[in-house]
Structures are given as C-alpha cells and as structure tokens.
Amino acid sequence: MSMNDRIVSVDSRDWARPIAGLVPELEAGKVLFFPELRFELTPDEARLLRADVREEKSRNISLRNDGVLAGAAVQGDEKARLAAMIGRFRTQACALIDAIAPAYKPALRLAPTSYRPTQVESRVQSWRADDRRLHVDAFPSRPNRGERILRVFTNLNPDGEPRVWRVGEAFEGIARRFVPRARPYSAWQARALKALHVTKSLRTEYDHLMLQLHDGMKGDLDYQRDCPQVTMPFPPGSTWVCYSDQTAHAVMSGQFMMEQTLHLAAEAQVNPAASPLGILRRVTGRPLL
Ligand code: SIN
Ligand code: FE
C-alpha cells in the first residue's frame, strides 16, 4: 500500500476559487493539502502570535458562533483584534469548503473556530488525551450519531516552524483491526451516562465504537509504531482539510494554528457509504443508530 496517496496536494492560492474533483478524495479520508494557501495577517494581528494570549486554564482560544471569544487572556483592543482575526479565518475556511464541496452547503453546521497558540511538544497529557498518538476524532462527552467532523487547518507559525503530523491508514483498515477488539455496547450504560450528564446526549452504538477505535489506536503502542503512516510537516503559510473522524492523524510538533470545524450528516455526503458510519455498518452488519 502506498501511503503517499493519503495526502493530496492542491495548487491553489485562492480561498474561494471553485476546485472540482476533490470530494471523492476528501470522502475517502485523504488530507487535502494546499501548500500555497496562506492566511494573511496584518502587522497588528501578527503581534497576537504569542502563547500568553491564551488563558492558562483553556486549551484553545475559540470564537463561538454568537461572536463570543472564549479562552483569551487579553482585553480591550487586543481582544477585539483577536476575535476579528479568528472571525476572518472562519469566513475563509467556509469559503474553501464551499469551493471544494458546493453540494455540502445546505447541510453544513458551523462549530466554533479555534486558534491554538500553544507549543504542541510542551503539552502534558494522559495517553487518552494525547493527540501525539494516531487516532480518529471521537469525543466522550459529545455523541454525534454519525455526524461528520470536517476540519480546516492553517499553520500561522512566524518562525518557519512546520506543524508536523503523522497520517495513518484508511478507515476501513482501522475498523477491521479495532472493531473485533471493541468492548460490546451497553444501552443501559449509555442511558446512565446521559442521566449523569457525562454525555450531552445518548451515546449510540456508533459513538461507542468510534470511542473504542480512538482509545484502541491510542492505547496500542505497537500499532502506533508499526502501522502504515507518513510524517507530514505542514509549513507555515499552508492549509489542509480532512475529515478528522475518519483520517488517522497525530500532531507531533508545532505552534500557532487556526482550525475550523464544520459538521454535516453522513447522509448529506456525496457518497454516504464512504463515511465512518457506512463503513462501521458494513463491518459490523448492524445499524448502529
Ligand atoms: C488533533 O486533532 O488531534 C490535533 C491536531 C493539531 O492540533 O494539529
Ligand atoms: Fe484529533
């Protein structure tokens, strides 16, 4: 298997220019890499590239859909400038998704936009929260019933430092390896987690399996070392897009990145059978929802 084809390089310098032919690649779980697609900063904004703009207790700075900025340690003009910078990234990231996948437009649901000014290598975390291990995104408190997690990233680093990722094998291989090892789903346990507000809504069998894949991958050091993977240094001034619930990824180093998440129902994809829900249904023979 060639791992080089997990990343598709796209020559575009314009966030809004329509680009045909990328949806099948995206829906196959590949990373769309735009080496020359830069998020431009004004000189005033460039001064916000420092770790202490983030509140110590927050992991990221995020701009909510209602315009409220969370996690920032700055006030006044600086805070307004930070919110405007993140808001402009949101607009450009949404334009890029419309340019790649116009068919998604009516189905997209916008999540908060995040600015990540923290040095990845310095974070101390439990193995389950450690994104330096290859994983697919699945969040214990936020069941999503098969809804997709589509993400746009851009590296803003002012010192030439790349954001270094590892990208792993296709989802089908992950499902075939880790589904047989997954603990069985328990409906009563899912109801208890919801009653205790551990989860924001009912954890479905799909959500359970996705967490089992996430934890199974991160907890298996032999898999982390030996699975098919490629290391990809995303340079400053580049942008990349992937379905992070499907693309196995790990972040090894880097600092200063923007990220926009968009959600859409698996049924709203061009090829729903290519989604994690479609693949897991096929692998398990169960509806999962
Ligand atoms: C992740 O989603 O695992 C982290 C990606 C990053 O911070 O580069
Ligand atoms: Fe992740």
Side-chain angles (χ1 to χ4, degrees):
M1 177 180 14
S2 160
M3 286 303 296
N4 294 328
D5 77 343
R6 303 295 306 149
I7 297 165
V8 178
S9 196
V10 187
D11 177 22
S12 174
R13 289 157 198 248
D14 183 342
W15 294 83
R17 184 171 62 84
I19 320 162
L22 294 179
V23 172
E25 310 274 26
L26 182 64
E27 292 191 355
K30 297 183 184 185
V31 177
L32 307 182
F33 170 44
F34 300 84
E36 307 283 349
L37 191 55
R38 179 182 290 275
F39 180 65
E40 297 287 355
L41 301 184
T42 65
D44 273 351
E45 287 174 342
R47 285 200 286 278
L48 298 169
L49 300 177
R50 27 176 248 270
D52 68 1
V53 297
R54 179 184 58 89
E55 228 171 32
E56 220 145 317
K57 64 176 168 53
S58 314
R59 185 162 171 174
N60 301 314
I61 296 173
S62 66
L63 182 66
R64 299 192 330 216
N65 297 352
D66 61 8
V68 172
L69 189 69
V74 291
Q75 296 301 328
D77 280 357
E78 260 201 321
K79 187 175 183 182
R81 206 178 307 128
L82 192 53
M85 171 175 92
I86 300 172
R88 200 173 73 259
F89 175 69
R90 170 186 298 173
T91 304
Q92 300 200 343
C94 291
L96 180 63
I97 296 303
D98 291 344
I100 295 167
Y104 288 179
K105 190 160 179 118
L108 292 173
R109 188 170 68 78
L110 191 68
T113 315
S114 85
Y115 168 44
R116 306 184 184 186
T118 309
Q119 183 93 42
V120 167
E121 305 90 299
S122 67
R123 287 201 300 235
V124 186
Q125 281 154 335
S126 69
W127 67 269
R128 201 176 259 118
D130 188 354
D131 291 337
R132 289 173 296 192
R133 298 185 185 204
L134 282 162
H135 63 283
V136 288
D137 282 349
F139 304 103
S141 66
R142 285 180 273 157
N144 66 20
R145 296 165 299 281
E147 193 178 46
R148 305 306 314 275
I149 304 173
L150 177 58
R151 290 191 154 163
V152 181
F153 304 89
T154 201
N155 184 357
L156 301 176
N157 191 282
D159 306 314
E161 256 186 70
R163 196 161 190 99
V164 180
W165 274 28
R166 292 186 290 146
V167 176
E169 65 179 320
F171 191 86
E172 178 93 28
I174 295 166
R176 297 215 174 272
R177 176 182 299 263
F178 290 100
V179 166
R181 304 185 194 172
R183 280 204 317 257
Y185 176 64
S186 158
W188 72 261
Q189 206 170 54
R191 284 194 296 273
L193 291 173
K194 176 161 179 266
L196 295 168
H197 302 288
V198 174
T199 58
K200 291 185 178 132
S201 58
L202 191 73
R203 185 181 289 173
T204 64
E205 185 170 4
Y206 170 81
D207 294 296
H208 167 77
L209 269 179
M210 289 298 288
L211 286 168
Q212 289 286 303
L213 299 191
H214 172 277
D215 292 359
M217 293 169 80
K218 280 190 176 174
D220 184 339
L221 291 176
D222 294 328
Y223 181 77
Q224 290 291 323
R225 191 184 57 236
D226 300 332
C227 73
Q229 58 188 283
V230 359
T231 296
M232 177 68 209
F234 295 106
S238 74
T239 296
W240 60 107
V241 177
C242 71
Y243 275 117
S244 66
D245 54 352
Q246 177 175 7
T247 306
H249 62 283
V251 59
M252 308 316 291
S253 66
Q255 186 175 17
F256 305 116
M257 183 181 74
M258 291 287 199
E259 176 267 330
Q260 176 67 56
T261 300
L262 295 138
H263 297 291
L264 83 158
E267 308 80 69
Q269 292 185 216
V270 172
N271 179 15
S275 67
L277 179 62
I279 292 169
L280 289 174
R281 280 177 164 165
R282 203 150 26 75
V283 168
T284 60
R286 291 198 297 278
L288 303 180
L289 293 181

